[in-house]
Amino acid sequence: MDLAADLPSLLALEQIDRDIFRATNGQYGRPTLYGGQVAAQCLVAAAATVEDDRVPHSLHGYFLRAGRSDLPVILKVDRDRDGRSFSARHVVAQQEGEVIFSMVTSFHFERDGVEYDNAAHRDVPPPGDLQGHSWSQLLDVREVTKTDFEKGLFTDCLWVRSAHPLGDDPVQHRAGLTYLSDLGSGFGQLGPDIMGRGGPSIDHSMWFQEPIRADQWVLIDLRPVKAKAARACYDGSLRDEAGRLGATFYQEHLLLPGKFSDNLLTEG
């Protein structure tokens, strides 16, 4: 199957029936799909069934099976409710008839209201002062904290943006932020005794705030919260270079004992 060469192409879905869509995969150099891709595509599918004056404000998803990068993803949307200012959708991503990801998401007709921001925010160098990484042709990446597979370390703070323009549709940028939010690990800098060989994402919740752009530099800042029973929870924020808070999220993933090289995140 053809693979997407950029993030805009990855987020461009083919509609094959009412509320049913087909998605293209990105190039990741591994047999399993990147979870942020599937979550972002589910958000785009849901948005295609909602009035244009409503934008996504939250999502909650479960990663149920490892997706295969050699198969297309089929997205099916249920229109749970359309109210006066909110719309709710349930989306499932399937391959070979099995659900690999399930997500509920809500859209809001936004209005003026009180503003307050007390989310944690560390001081970091600007992206222009940091070395680039070729993680993916879809993204520009500048790590603040470093990934070192041999030492069992993974970045928990990085600047990242789409390598290609995403246009001006706010849904595209919130889907882009969703794509970015699955990068790194909140436990990645705690060393191999804590991180072990890591593990795949289990569930992911996200809330959108300021309308920042995913094709301009976004700071992903992750913080460990709690690990127990081979599960680890961490929270994160996404800010632009001006410090505006675009989104907050909370993620849980498996935290498996052993070395990263023993198992490349295939358990799920």
Side-chain angles (χ1 to χ4, degrees), residues 40 83 157 171 213 225 236 258:
C157 188
V171 170
R213 298 182 64 95
V225 176

Side-chain angles (χ1 to χ4, degrees), residues 74-255:
I74 303 300
L75 310 166
K76 298 181 178 180
V77 183
D78 286 329
R79 305 187 185 209
D80 289 352
R81 181 178 185 270
D82 287 302
R84 287 186 297 176
S85 58
F86 287 91
S87 293
R89 297 293 186 264
H90 177 211
V91 191
V92 294
Q94 296 182 336
Q95 287 185 322
E96 295 189 315
E98 293 188 325
V99 177
I100 63 172
F101 181 71
S102 175
M103 184 179 82
V104 291
T105 181
S106 181
F107 294 74
H108 184 215
F109 175 78
E110 295 186 338
R111 61 192 68 185
D112 292 336
V114 65
E115 293 189 19
Y116 179 79
D117 180 359
N118 195 36
H121 183 200
R122 69 177 105 180
D123 292 326
V124 300
D129 291 350
L130 300 169
Q131 182 179 1
H133 290 268
S134 57
W135 282 11
S136 166
Q137 67 180 20
L138 279 63
L139 303 175
D140 292 329
V141 179
R142 305 286 188 272
E143 288 187 344
V144 177
T145 58
K146 302 300 181 182
T147 295
D148 188 329
F149 293 131
E150 293 184 359
K151 295 181 179 179
L153 297 175
F154 302 83
T155 183
D156 66 353
C157 188
L158 64 160
W159 290 101
V160 62
R161 65 184 178 186
S162 170
H164 298 83
L166 286 170
D168 295 323
D169 182 352
V171 170
Q172 291 291 294
H173 291 280
R174 296 194 178 192
L177 295 180
T178 303
Y179 182 89
L180 302 181
S181 69
D182 198 30
L183 297 173
S185 169
F187 285 78
Q189 293 292 298
L190 298 184
D193 291 341
I194 297 294
M195 185 66 184
R197 56 191 168 104
S201 302
I202 304 171
D203 52 78
H204 189 81
S205 295
M206 193 166 182
W207 298 264
F208 300 100
Q209 284 91 26
E210 298 280 354
I212 68 173
R213 298 182 64 95
D215 56 7
Q216 296 178 0
W217 288 114
V218 174
L219 179 67
I220 304 175
D221 192 355
L222 311 175
R223 297 174 184 272
V225 176
K226 177 66 177 179
K228 178 71 175 178
R231 301 191 311 273
C233 294
Y234 62 88
D235 62 25
S237 63
L238 300 170
R239 294 182 183 268
D240 65 11
E241 285 194 89
R244 295 193 307 158
L245 183 64
T248 54
F249 60 93
Y250 210 93
Q251 177 151 306
E252 182 181 38
H253 68 88
L254 286 177
L255 206 58

Side-chain angles (χ1 to χ4, degrees), residues 25-89:
N25 297 329
Q27 300 182 22
Y28 305 115
R30 65 185 192 185
T32 57
L33 291 179
Y34 166 59
Q37 169 197 310
V38 184
Q41 291 170 334
C42 282
L43 190 65
V44 174
T49 71
V50 173
E51 295 295 330
D52 292 341
D53 61 356
R54 302 184 182 199
V55 292
H57 72 88
S58 67
L59 62 87
H60 308 273
Y62 283 92
F63 296 95
L64 304 177
R65 295 178 175 87
R68 288 176 50 181
S69 60
D70 62 334
L71 295 175
V73 179
I74 303 300
L75 310 166
K76 298 181 178 180
V77 183
D78 286 329
R79 305 187 185 209
D80 289 352
R81 181 178 185 270
D82 287 302
R84 287 186 297 176
S85 58
F86 287 91
S87 293
R89 297 293 186 264

